[in-house]
Amino acid sequence: MLSLLTFVNDIITPLLLNPALKAANVERIAELSWNGVGYGSFLSAVINFLVVGTVLFFVIKGIEKAQNLRKKEEVVEEAPAAPTELEVLQEIKALLEKK
């Protein structure tokens, strides 16, 4: 989890916000403010939340998909093989011959 936050803080946030930070003449997102209201830290927290949430969403979806594939393989293995058409016809022929 710590490495994910580092990834967000050191790579994703600067890539996305460098143009905006340069336009605002600040070096760090936490320094952003408007009329004395510092919104940079809040914006940073929102970006962190969205990136971490998205990564966790995709990790959980991948785990669920892997579990579903495993369950499907188990169901396929447990299903008995149905008799073929030839076997059914041979059984019918054998029953008719007994009569």
Side-chain angles (χ1 to χ4, degrees), residues 4-82:
L4 182 61
L5 290 177
T6 303
F7 174 73
V8 171
N9 289 335
D10 296 337
I11 296 173
I12 299 296
T13 303
L15 286 176
L16 294 176
L17 296 178
N18 270 345
L21 293 175
K22 287 179 183 176
N25 293 325
V26 293
E27 291 182 22
R28 295 182 38 222
I29 191 169
E31 297 172 1
L32 288 175
S33 64
W34 179 69
N35 290 336
V37 176
Y39 63 92
S41 296
F42 175 74
L43 184 60
S44 178
V46 169
I47 292 170
N48 286 341
F49 173 76
L50 292 175
V51 172
V52 170
T54 303
V55 168
L56 289 177
F57 173 78
F58 285 117
V59 167
I60 290 172
K61 287 299 254 185
I63 291 170
E64 287 177 353
K65 191 169 188 176
Q67 288 176 342
N68 288 340
L69 287 175
R70 188 179 314 149
K71 286 180 183 177
K72 286 181 183 178
E73 289 175 358
E74 290 174 1
V75 170
V76 170
E77 291 174 1
E78 292 175 3

